[in-house]
Structure formats: structure tokens, C-alpha cells
Amino acid sequence: MREIAIALSVPRVERPANAGEVYRSHANFVWVTLQRMGVRESDREDVFQDVFIVVHQRLHTYDPAVKLGAWLFGICLRVVSNYRRNAWRRVETGQDGTLEARAQPPETARHPDDNLAEREARARLQAILDEMDVEKRAVIVMFEIEELPCDEIASILGVPVGTVYSRIHAAHAQFEKVLARYRARDARGGVK
């Protein structure tokens, strides 16, 4: 009897009915996740579509005990890893690929040298992030750039908060290592 009472008191999480329902409820989350993982704006729509193709194909494997956001994050991670692995096949379009700026006041009131320095800093940040592992990049972007609290990152990733702290630490270490390489290259005069 006790097992029945316990079973009845645990709320049952339902499986989404179809991929359309997942799309309607989590499209923005997937889009932002792809952006955080460094998918270029010119490729994001295609990668976004690839994620929902996988969702459609794998929805029957979804375990309602796992948060839907965490399951989707895992799919995004695998699709983005594949996207990066196959990057050499794509023809580059000439876009600079820098991080998209958040809403800011017009730059016309600023000195042109300040605008140039900011663009160069964004380009450097983008280059460093592009060299990082996708998982580390995602967590450092969520924590440092998006300024999400660790408990929210843990919820998105479907991991304990302590794991988020260790991943942030590892991401900072990798970021510093890549940054040191860039600084050494700058000190040598830009030669690789």
C-alpha cells in the first residue's frame, strides 16, 4: 500500500506529444543554445533545423524523468559538434563571424578608435571561443557573457550545481590557455 501511495504522490511528467509541441515550447531555447555554442549566424537556421530533425527522429527515446531542456541541450551539443567537425566542407561566405552584439546605443556618439578597439576585442573573443571545446564554450558563454546564475545553467545542462562550478573552472582554464597563445603570438609580431 505504501508503494502505491508514494507512486501516486509523485507527479508524472508526460512525454511531449510530438516534435511540433517541443518546437513551440523550446524553439527559443534551442536558438539561443546554438548561438551560445558558436554556430555562425549564417549557418544557424540550418543547424536549428537539424536539431529539430533529430528531435523528430528521437522523440520516442525521450525519458520524461530527464528535463526536456537538458535532453534538447544534449541534442544541440551533438549536432553542433557535427557542424564543427564538418566545417571544412562549408564554403565561407565572407562574414566576419564576430559575436553578435547585444542591444547597444548607437556607436555614432563614440570615438572611431573606441569602435575599432571594441570590434577587435569582439573578434579576438570570437576567435578564442571558436578554439574551445563546444561544452566548455557553452558553459563559459552562459556564465560570463549571458550572466546566467549557476543554478540556471545546472537546470539547462541537467547536472548538479557543483558540476557546473567544475565545468566553469575547466572552461576558464582552457580560455586562459588559448588567450596565452594569442598573447604570445602578438608578442612575436602576429606570426603563428
Side-chain angles (χ1 to χ4, degrees):
M1 275 307 243
R2 183 178 172 118
E3 291 82 22
I4 294 172
I6 291 171
L8 292 175
S9 66
V10 176
R12 185 155 185 246
V13 180
E14 294 295 323
R15 179 184 310 254
N18 56 45
E21 184 180 317
V22 175
Y23 177 84
R24 283 186 294 282
S25 64
H26 286 78
N28 190 49
F29 168 78
V30 169
W31 187 264
V32 170
T33 299
L34 296 176
Q35 182 178 2
R36 289 175 180 155
M37 290 182 175
V39 176
R40 292 185 179 185
E41 185 177 4
S42 59
D43 297 328
R44 204 168 302 135
E45 284 188 35
D46 292 335
V47 177
F48 180 80
Q49 182 177 7
D50 290 346
V51 167
F52 281 99
I53 288 171
V54 172
V55 167
H56 175 71
Q57 293 170 340
R58 305 294 300 165
L59 189 59
H60 69 280
T61 67
Y62 171 67
D63 177 8
V66 176
K67 288 187 177 185
L68 186 57
W71 184 72
L72 287 170
F73 184 85
I75 292 172
C76 289
L77 190 59
R78 287 184 291 283
V79 170
V80 170
S81 293
N82 190 44
Y83 157 80
R84 289 180 119 185
R85 193 172 29 258
N86 295 320
W88 64 273
R89 294 182 186 170
R90 287 189 296 280
V91 177
E92 297 302 323
T93 61
Q95 291 183 351
D96 63 2
T98 57
L99 287 175
E100 294 146 24
R102 291 183 174 175
Q104 297 177 346
E107 294 182 338
T108 55
R110 298 174 57 195
H111 191 276
D113 288 342
D114 293 339
N115 294 336
L116 176 62
E118 185 175 327
R119 280 194 305 275
E120 287 174 349
R122 271 198 205 118
R124 170 65 57 96
L125 176 60
Q126 183 70 43
I128 292 169
L129 291 173
D130 284 346
E131 289 189 34
M132 294 179 68
D133 298 336
V134 175
E135 298 89 350
K136 290 180 178 124
R137 177 196 173 111
V139 81
I140 204 166
V141 168
M142 284 189 276
F143 184 73
E144 295 292 347
I145 297 173
E146 298 292 329
E147 299 178 348
L148 296 177
C150 288
D151 58 339
E152 189 172 335
I153 296 171
S155 176
I156 290 169
L157 298 177
V159 299
V161 175
T163 302
V164 171
Y165 288 123
S166 64
R167 288 183 184 181
I168 289 170
H169 178 74
H172 278 131
Q174 186 179 29
F175 185 91
E176 290 297 327
K177 185 177 178 181
V178 175
L179 179 60
R181 272 200 324 266
Y182 274 90
R183 286 179 176 156
R185 187 171 33 220
D186 290 347
R188 291 189 311 263
V191 180
K192 280 190 174 183

